[in-house]
Amino acid sequence: MIFWLYSVRMNYDFEIDKQLHTKSDNNNSDIDVQILKDGYRFNIEVKTPNQIEKKEESVLNITIPFRVFDRKEMQDEKLGKVTDNFAQKIIDNSQGK
């Protein structure tokens, strides 16, 4: 919304939720704001962190605050392996702490 308001105030041309690829590309990629200024095109994608509900101190939470793999599916798979192989051993050896 900040970029949108800024664009309006500066009298820039802009589009919100701009599709970067045609639907036939079978690609669901869009950007939040595209601003056009002096022949330049600025594509802006705004990301917000996942909000994690605070749990008891005895609960082990493992999060990756950003994508480190090319595809989300691969990251989810690798995080699952970390949870199964690493986190579970910590829990098993924690003696309830």
Side-chain angles (χ1 to χ4, degrees):
M1 186 162 197
I2 291 171
F3 287 113
W4 177 69
L5 291 171
Y6 176 76
S7 299
V8 169
R9 287 183 184 143
M10 299 303 290
N11 201 28
Y12 294 158
D13 292 325
F14 69 95
E15 289 186 55
I16 56 173
D17 295 326
K18 170 82 174 166
Q19 288 288 337
L20 295 181
H21 304 281
T22 63
K23 293 287 186 186
S24 63
D25 289 340
N26 204 13
N27 189 338
N28 192 23
S29 61
D30 68 347
I31 53 171
D32 293 319
V33 180
Q34 184 178 78
I35 298 174
L36 303 172
K37 165 92 169 84
D38 297 331
Y40 292 98
R41 186 179 314 256
F42 299 93
N43 294 332
I44 301 166
E45 180 71 20
V46 178
K47 297 292 185 188
T48 55
N50 293 335
Q51 301 298 314
I52 299 171
E53 183 179 330
K54 185 170 175 145
K55 306 280 184 189
E56 298 177 36
E57 290 184 8
S58 63
V59 174
L60 176 64
N61 285 312
I62 299 176
T63 61
I64 299 175
F66 51 87
R67 188 178 302 169
V68 294
F69 295 96
D70 292 338
R71 294 186 341 266
K72 182 182 182 315
E73 298 81 21
M74 183 182 288
Q75 180 157 322
D76 291 345
E77 175 190 336
K78 299 296 183 187
L79 183 58
K81 287 181 180 180
V82 167
T83 301
D84 294 343
N85 297 324
F86 180 70
Q88 192 57 50
K89 288 179 184 175
I90 292 173
I91 292 168
D92 292 343
N93 293 322
S94 71
Q95 298 173 347
K97 296 181 182 178

